[in-house]
Amino acid sequence: MGSVQIVTTILAAAITAVAVWLAVRAVSKMVAVIRLGQPDPTRSGDKISRTRTMLAETAGHTRMLRWSVVGAAHWFVMVGFIVLSLLVLEAYFEVVSPTGGLPLIGGWTLYGLVTEWIGILGVVGIGVLIAIRLANRPNRAGRRSRFTGSTMWQGYFVEAVVLAVLVMGFLIRGFKVATDHFEYPTWATPLSHAVGAALPGWESGVSVAALIKISISMVWVIVISLNVTMGVAWHRFLAFPNIFFKRRPGAAGSGLGALRPMMSDGKPLDFEEADPEKDQFGVAQVEQFTWKGLLDFSTCTECGRCQSQCPAWNTGKPLSPKLLVLSLRDHAYAKAPYLLAGGGKDLTGEEKATAAQLAHVDVLALAEAEKPLIGDAESGGVIDPDVLWSCTTCGACVEQCPVDIEHVDHIVDMRRYQVLIESSFPSEAGVMLRNLENKGNPWGAPQNTREDWTKGLDFEVPRVGETEDFEYLFWVGCAGAFEDRAKKTTRAVATLLNEAGVSFAILGEGETCSGDPARRIGNEFVFQMLAQQNVETLNEAFEGREKAKRKIVATCPHCFNTLGNEYGQLGGEFEVVHHTQLLAHLVATGKLTPVQPVDGGVTYHDPCYLGRHNRVFTPPREVLGSAIEGELTEMPRNSERSFCCGAGGARMWMEERIGKRINVDRVEEAMSTGARTVAVGCPFCSTMLTDGVNGKGAGEQVEVIDVASVLLRSVKPEQVGGAEETTPVTG
């Protein structure tokens, strides 16, 4: 060992020791913070499925590759980081000796070949990612950059380190080539040999380059250890457990479909026995999120995919799913010293820690602990109320997140506390909630008018109780029973089912609201009241039938989602289909035959709760494909990337006062296709898009109509008028 090697060995050991010590301290802090969260025993079951999903999403990059160029580049960088860690390890042998290498595998040509090409592709990949970040700098006009609000220096730092480590790897190999100490042939390591041809035969160059490579790597470790909220770096390690512990490991979107039940101490809250002084009602403090929620916040990569797809952010609202998560993350870690010292408020608002416990807590942590979780700028709140109430729960953020953060669950948990304990929510939504409690529907229409849509039909609509011989229970829903435009869909579906010979029955006045708007706004109490009533009614209607024969068809995706995905939490197990699924089946089996194609150009708007939340993309398109002339014209944002109409998350009953109206943005996109008909599969979407079309003054040129009505016009063109006839809401 020469003098150069002695120096490089000592320096490498010293910087590594510092980095390891800081890394252990940082990991310990992160684990301690995450463990502050509430228990969630649902995250540990089905380990085989969880492992399979985690490997598919990490090694297979199944979510990242939805953005093909970025996904491919990131895959090569990820693989390079993992595999080329062996080259960092090898550098510790090279600082000791210019001829050093990894034991056992160091001389294998296959090892040299694989690491060479991973290094080459890694350089290309990180170059692409750097170019994308530079091209999408936050200083772009408006909100077009998905990196707006991200901590840009951290991204630049991480990418620069990756590039530098890869380059130093080739320099080490180049010096070995130049000094004739390289074991691999040119055909296996062409770039290394090309670099070596340009370098001098400096014997100590290998050890010096290895020291520089180790130093760069350890500086990276030191920097991220001193910045535990540096998600752009820490996600390399946290993504694996965060994906493993996702809510539904086999689902396309972990936080889509059903909401998490309202939990207290790791158990679903029972309102009959709940006590606000002993049980947690929603989330009022950051430590009241589950440990998985705190892991979510820690894992955020700040990539901004969620932000780029969010309808609120894209129309000038203050909500960015990314910035919301980052605010919660920064607040959790800033407050952590206070919490770890034993601080915190109990459910009555009393401080749990003694003065002695808090005596040595940093004053900044104490100040952070005084911030309300929800509050405006004047009160110093972590999350502004306008941010919380801008969410439509469309799920675009969850769909796009590459590390499976469950944004919607966290937003609704915060809403639950605001509604149930603080009674703080947009005032206009209070009318909707009172109508749900008093009338059983958000419009406040009389219950005895639920069957008015049946008037004028040329066939009898059977009621449950009057007949036991029905295959499907037709869940009409509140919109389908009371809202004029939605009544047309209800009548069209009933007419088509009758035409196809499908036996069905309705609950009529026995039906009440599914509870979706109450649950999404955060009023879990009203949701459970309505849901339990419906579950009891439905169980009675299906008494004696196995689940496979407890079939429900619904025209509203919100009802479809609630009945099919959430009623199981309350003892209601049913087979629920959307009307477009049933109609597609009836057309495919020849029970419905389109005879007159609908012309004029048709585009289809994917409802969030049908498409993204429940993955029903194909059936509506199959129905339209059978009924229209020519091909369906797709909007730029369609299927899983469909843009929200603005009505979800109970936004249907709240005013949209900030920024551009979401429905107008979507209508402009629909009109840009040139289609004269905008087909929908949701009564909320129908209302919002119709209002948007009328607001643009295009009511004479563009029609918004349900998929069922399009099919009816093709199957029974001579009877369309009678089937779509409707009666205004009274009372």
Side-chain angles (χ1 to χ4, degrees):
M1 181 186 292
S3 58
V4 172
Q5 283 70 41
I6 293 173
V7 173
T8 56
T9 301
I10 292 172
L11 291 177
I15 194 171
T16 301
V18 172
V20 169
W21 177 74
L22 289 173
V24 170
R25 191 182 69 166
V27 170
S28 298
K29 180 178 180 179
M30 295 180 76
V31 170
V33 171
I34 291 168
R35 291 183 65 183
L36 288 169
Q38 300 302 303
D40 187 351
T42 66
R43 302 286 179 170
S44 56
D46 197 5
K47 290 182 173 57
I48 293 176
S49 178
R50 291 181 181 280
T51 302
R52 186 185 305 118
T53 299
M54 183 267 289
L55 291 174
E57 290 191 20
T58 53
H61 256 41
T62 52
R63 295 176 70 83
M64 284 293 298
L65 286 170
R66 292 175 183 175
W67 294 29
S68 54
V69 174
V70 178
H74 190 276
W75 187 86
F76 286 117
V77 172
M78 181 203 71
V79 171
F81 177 79
I82 295 172
V83 175
L84 300 185
S85 295
L86 290 172
L87 294 184
V88 176
L89 178 60
E90 188 173 37
Y92 284 94
F93 293 90
E94 292 162 340
V95 295
V96 176
S97 169
T99 61
L102 281 179
L104 300 179
I105 64 172
W108 288 3
T109 299
L110 179 61
Y111 169 74
L113 173 69
V114 170
T115 51
E116 178 87 358
W117 283 100
I118 288 178
I120 292 171
L121 295 172
V123 169
V124 174
I126 198 64
V128 170
L129 296 182
I130 290 172
I132 290 172
R133 188 177 294 273
L134 291 173
N136 289 276
R137 291 189 300 276
N139 59 3
R140 295 174 66 188
R143 294 180 165 196
R144 290 180 296 163
S145 171
R146 61 187 173 96
F147 296 116
T148 299
S150 297
T151 314
M152 294 301 288
W153 76 262
Q154 295 180 353
Y156 293 138
F157 170 75
V158 168
E159 289 167 348
V161 165
V162 171
L163 181 59
V165 168
L166 290 169
V167 169
M168 292 310 302
F170 285 110
L171 277 176
I172 293 170
R173 287 187 163 188
F175 276 119
K176 283 190 171 184
V177 170
T179 55
D180 202 25
H181 295 317
F182 199 50
E183 311 97 318
Y184 310 114
T186 303
W187 67 265
T189 54
L191 183 57
S192 295
H193 279 273
V195 172
L199 292 176
W202 181 28
E203 192 79 18
S204 296
V206 174
S207 297
V208 172
L211 174 63
I212 294 173
K213 180 175 183 175
I214 290 171
S215 299
I216 293 171
S217 301
M218 292 306 108
V219 165
W220 179 80
V221 173
I222 290 169
V223 170
I224 72 168
S225 297
L226 295 174
N227 294 272
V228 290
T229 58
M230 195 171 174
V232 69
W234 281 106
H235 84 274
R236 295 184 177 195
F237 311 104
L238 297 179
F240 297 96
N242 206 56
I243 295 170
F244 181 86
F245 290 115
K246 66 193 291 188
R247 178 148 61 89
R248 296 186 300 146
S254 175
L256 296 174
L259 282 173
R260 282 180 70 250
M262 193 164 167
M263 309 287 282
S264 179
D265 196 29
K267 301 174 184 176
L269 193 67
D270 183 348
F271 278 95
E272 293 184 2
E273 300 178 1
D275 181 352
E277 294 188 2
K278 297 179 181 178
D279 293 301
Q280 182 179 315
F281 281 60
V283 169
Q285 304 289 336
V286 72
E287 65 271 20
Q288 292 177 347
F289 286 106
T290 67
W291 62 264
K292 175 57 169 64
L294 296 179
L295 179 59
D296 269 357
F297 308 153
S298 303
T299 308
C300 179
T301 72
E302 303 189 26
C303 67
R305 289 189 179 205
C306 58
Q307 181 174 284
S308 72
Q309 304 298 305
C310 177
W313 180 259
N314 277 286
T315 54
K317 315 292 188 293
L319 168 64
S320 155
K322 176 185 71 178
L323 298 181
L324 179 139
V325 166
L326 298 187
S327 296
L328 293 171
R329 177 199 68 189
D330 293 345
H331 174 59
Y333 281 89
K335 188 178 179 180
Y338 159 78
L339 295 171
L340 293 171
K345 301 290 195 302
D346 63 21
L347 294 173
T348 64
E350 295 296 320
E351 176 60 57
K352 294 186 290 187
T354 65
Q357 286 177 295
L358 301 179
H360 301 292
V361 175
D362 184 81
V363 65
L364 294 177
L366 293 173
E368 194 74 26
E370 293 302 315
K371 290 183 178 181
L373 190 65
I374 306 298
D376 57 21
E378 186 176 344
S379 64
V382 179
I383 304 297
D384 191 278
D386 284 335
V387 169
L388 188 67
W389 297 110
S390 292
C391 180
T392 66
T393 68
C394 71
C397 49
V398 179
E399 172 73 32
Q400 289 298 325
C401 183
V403 292
D404 283 309
I405 293 172
E406 297 161 6
H407 313 73
V408 174
D409 282 339
H410 304 320
I411 288 172
V412 173
D413 272 341
M414 290 186 284
R415 284 183 171 187
R416 285 166 169 166
Y417 181 84
Q418 293 300 304
V419 172
L420 294 171
I421 303 300
E422 297 290 338
S423 296
S424 176
F425 50 88
S427 57
E428 61 270 20
V431 177
M432 177 268 289
L433 289 173
R434 286 193 296 274
N435 285 337
L436 287 176
E437 290 190 72
N438 300 326
K439 299 286 189 178
N441 68 85
W443 282 275
Q447 185 71 356
N448 61 10
T449 63
R450 269 197 181 268
E451 299 179 35
D452 284 1
W453 65 270
T454 64
K455 295 176 180 177
L457 292 174
D458 57 4
F459 57 91
E460 189 71 23
V461 177
R463 280 76 175 164
V464 171
E466 298 175 358
T467 176
E468 298 297 325
D469 183 25
F470 63 91
E471 182 180 4
Y472 287 93
L473 188 150
F474 182 13
W475 182 273
V476 176
C478 298
F482 300 122
E483 204 274 327
D484 287 350
R485 282 166 287 206
K487 282 185 184 182
K488 295 180 180 181
T489 301
T490 307
R491 294 167 66 86
V493 170
T495 301
L496 289 166
L497 294 182
N498 181 69
E499 176 73 12
V502 175
S503 60
F504 68 96
I506 62 171
L507 290 172
E509 293 183 30
E511 184 183 304
T512 191
C513 180
S514 68
D516 165 84
R519 188 168 229 199
R520 264 69 195 171
I521 203 174
N523 197 324
E524 185 75 3
F525 176 78
V526 171
F527 164 73
Q528 290 202 20
M529 178 185 71
L530 295 168
Q532 287 170 353
Q533 179 181 336
N534 282 325
V535 167
E536 185 177 338
T537 301
L538 290 168
N539 282 340
E540 184 179 337
F542 289 120
E543 189 173 3
R545 298 194 190 189
E546 60 189 54
K547 181 182 176 181
K549 295 183 178 180
R550 296 156 67 92
K551 298 180 182 179
I552 298 174
V553 58
T555 57
C556 174
H558 298 264
C559 296
F560 165 66
N561 178 70
T562 303
L563 271 63
N565 295 330
E566 297 183 340
Y567 275 17
Q569 299 169 3
L570 300 169
E573 296 290 339
F574 314 108
E575 289 291 330
V576 187
V577 298
H578 189 251
H579 71 283
T580 58
Q581 293 175 296
L582 181 54
L583 294 178
H585 171 72
L586 296 174
V587 171
T589 55
K591 294 181 179 179
L592 288 175
T593 305
V595 294
Q596 181 174 309
V598 176
D599 60 7
V602 178
T603 190
Y604 174 64
H605 163 79
D606 287 275
C608 300
Y609 273 83
L610 181 64
R612 192 155 40 238
H613 278 278
N614 285 284
R615 324 310 293 177
V616 180
F617 301 120
T618 304
R621 289 174 168 81
E622 290 177 341
V623 173
L624 292 171
S626 70
I628 66 174
E629 187 173 16
E631 294 186 0
L632 183 71
T633 304
E634 293 283 7
M635 287 186 247
R637 294 175 291 191
N638 64 78
S639 302
E640 67 273 3
R641 289 198 189 183
S642 179
F643 197 70
C644 183
C645 74
R651 290 292 323 174
M652 179 85 169
W653 292 274
M654 294 183 240
E655 291 298 326
E656 196 171 343
R657 298 186 176 92
I658 304 173
K660 183 180 182 180
R661 294 185 67 86
I662 294 172
N663 62 331
V664 171
D665 191 292
R666 185 56 165 170
V667 161
E668 289 174 351
E669 183 175 5
M671 292 175 62
S672 72
T673 66
R676 290 170 51 190
T677 300
V678 180
V680 298
C682 171
F684 290 3
C685 296
S686 177
T687 296
M688 298 298 285
L689 297 186
T690 299
D691 289 350
V693 167
N694 292 338
K696 298 291 292 184
E700 297 296 321
Q701 294 81 38
V702 178
E703 180 185 24
V704 179
I705 184 174
D706 191 88
V707 170
S709 294
V710 175
L711 180 61
L712 182 63
R713 290 180 181 182
S714 181
V715 172
K716 302 187 72 174
E718 75 287 352
Q719 295 186 27
V720 167
E724 292 189 349
E725 208 173 275
T726 188
T727 306
V729 176
T730 58

